[in-house]
Amino acid sequence: MITLVIFHVPAVDNVGFLIDGEVFHPGDALTVVDVPTLLLPGQAPWLTVPGMIGYLRRMTPRRAYAIHDGLVNEWGLKVLDDVLAMEAERAGAEIRRLRPGESVEL
Protein backbone atom coordinates (compact mmCIF):
# COMPACT_ATOMS: atom_id res chain seq x y z
CA MET A 1 0.00 0.00 0.00
CA ILE A 2 1.25 3.49 -0.93
CA THR A 3 0.09 6.58 0.92
CA LEU A 4 0.21 9.82 -1.00
CA VAL A 5 0.45 13.00 1.05
CA ILE A 6 0.00 16.36 -0.63
CA PHE A 7 1.55 19.41 0.98
CA HIS A 8 0.58 22.97 0.29
CA VAL A 9 3.63 25.20 0.05
CA PRO A 10 2.91 28.92 -0.22
CA ALA A 11 4.44 30.77 -3.16
CA VAL A 12 7.65 32.66 -2.50
CA ASP A 13 7.64 36.36 -3.34
CA ASN A 14 10.11 37.34 -6.03
CA VAL A 15 12.43 40.11 -4.92
CA GLY A 16 14.43 42.66 -6.87
CA PHE A 17 17.35 44.68 -5.53
CA LEU A 18 17.79 48.43 -6.07
CA ILE A 19 21.30 49.63 -5.25
CA ASP A 20 21.84 53.34 -4.51
CA GLY A 21 19.07 54.30 -6.95
CA GLU A 22 21.52 53.43 -9.75
CA VAL A 23 21.46 49.68 -10.40
CA PHE A 24 18.46 47.33 -10.41
CA HIS A 25 18.72 43.55 -10.24
CA PRO A 26 15.14 42.36 -10.86
CA GLY A 27 15.60 38.80 -9.63
CA ASP A 28 12.74 36.78 -11.07
CA ALA A 29 10.21 39.55 -10.48
CA LEU A 30 10.84 41.68 -13.60
CA THR A 31 9.48 44.70 -11.75
CA VAL A 32 9.54 47.93 -13.74
CA VAL A 33 11.37 50.76 -11.97
CA ASP A 34 12.92 54.01 -13.18
CA VAL A 35 16.66 53.34 -12.93
CA PRO A 36 19.64 54.15 -15.16
CA THR A 37 21.30 50.73 -14.98
CA LEU A 38 19.54 47.38 -15.34
CA LEU A 39 21.01 43.95 -14.74
CA LEU A 40 18.96 42.06 -17.33
CA PRO A 41 18.33 38.32 -16.98
CA GLY A 42 19.74 36.82 -20.17
CA GLN A 43 18.38 33.32 -19.70
CA ALA A 44 16.07 31.46 -17.35
CA PRO A 45 13.64 28.54 -17.61
CA TRP A 46 10.76 31.00 -17.27
CA LEU A 47 12.12 33.61 -19.71
CA THR A 48 11.73 33.83 -23.48
CA VAL A 49 13.69 36.18 -25.75
CA PRO A 50 10.51 38.19 -26.58
CA GLY A 51 9.80 38.43 -22.83
CA MET A 52 13.35 39.61 -22.16
CA ILE A 53 13.18 42.26 -24.90
CA GLY A 54 9.71 43.39 -23.79
CA TYR A 55 10.97 43.88 -20.24
CA LEU A 56 14.06 45.74 -21.47
CA ARG A 57 11.88 48.06 -23.57
CA ARG A 58 9.51 48.74 -20.65
CA MET A 59 12.48 49.60 -18.42
CA THR A 60 14.21 51.95 -20.93
CA PRO A 61 17.52 52.07 -19.02
CA ARG A 62 20.55 54.05 -20.18
CA ARG A 63 22.63 50.92 -19.58
CA ALA A 64 21.72 47.25 -19.37
CA TYR A 65 24.04 44.34 -18.76
CA ALA A 66 22.86 40.80 -19.32
CA ILE A 67 23.39 38.46 -16.39
CA HIS A 68 22.16 34.98 -15.48
CA ASP A 69 23.56 33.26 -18.59
CA GLY A 70 25.69 30.53 -16.99
CA LEU A 71 23.69 27.68 -18.52
CA VAL A 72 23.89 29.02 -22.08
CA ASN A 73 26.38 27.44 -24.48
CA GLU A 74 28.59 29.33 -26.93
CA TRP A 75 25.91 29.43 -29.68
CA GLY A 76 23.26 30.68 -27.27
CA LEU A 77 25.60 33.40 -26.02
CA LYS A 78 26.18 34.50 -29.62
CA VAL A 79 22.42 34.80 -30.15
CA LEU A 80 22.06 36.69 -26.86
CA ASP A 81 24.88 39.07 -27.82
CA ASP A 82 23.30 39.70 -31.24
CA VAL A 83 19.85 40.40 -29.75
CA LEU A 84 21.36 42.79 -27.21
CA ALA A 85 23.36 44.58 -29.92
CA MET A 86 20.19 45.10 -31.99
CA GLU A 87 18.37 46.50 -28.96
CA ALA A 88 21.32 48.77 -28.12
CA GLU A 89 21.22 50.22 -31.61
CA ARG A 90 17.43 50.62 -31.53
CA ALA A 91 17.44 52.31 -28.11
CA GLY A 92 20.66 54.29 -28.44
CA ALA A 93 21.81 52.84 -25.12
CA GLU A 94 24.62 50.66 -23.84
CA ILE A 95 23.09 47.19 -23.77
CA ARG A 96 25.39 44.19 -23.72
CA ARG A 97 26.62 41.15 -21.86
CA LEU A 98 29.64 41.48 -19.62
CA ARG A 99 32.25 38.77 -20.15
CA PRO A 100 33.47 36.75 -17.15
CA GLY A 101 35.88 38.92 -15.17
CA GLU A 102 34.89 42.13 -17.00
CA SER A 103 33.73 45.14 -15.00
CA VAL A 104 32.29 48.56 -15.76
CA GLU A 105 32.42 51.82 -13.83
CA LEU A 106 29.08 53.54 -13.27
Side-chain angles (χ1 to χ4, degrees):
M1 177 181 197
I2 297 175
T3 302
L4 178 62
V5 179
I6 299 175
F7 294 97
H8 172 72
V9 178
V12 175
D13 289 334
N14 288 319
V15 177
F17 299 93
L18 179 60
I19 304 163
D20 293 336
E22 173 67 34
V23 178
F24 184 61
H25 185 308
D28 291 342
L30 300 185
T31 304
V32 176
V33 296
D34 184 19
V35 68
T37 306
L38 172 65
L39 302 180
L40 177 69
Q43 183 277 331
W46 47 263
L47 184 65
T48 63
V49 171
M52 177 186 71
I53 295 303
Y55 177 63
L56 178 61
R57 289 179 179 180
R58 285 190 304 279
M59 287 289 292
T60 63
R62 289 196 312 259
R63 292 172 296 278
Y65 302 105
I67 59 168
H68 205 275
D69 60 10
L71 295 178
V72 181
N73 69 20
E74 141 186 18
W75 290 103
L77 291 174
K78 171 80 171 105
V79 169
L80 177 59
D81 289 340
D82 290 348
V83 167
L84 296 175
M86 286 186 289
E87 279 303 301
E89 184 175 336
R90 185 198 65 76
E94 181 179 2
I95 301 170
R96 64 189 183 89
R97 181 176 60 88
L98 297 178
R99 302 307 190 262
E102 182 182 4
S103 64
V104 293
E105 188 122 353
L106 303 177

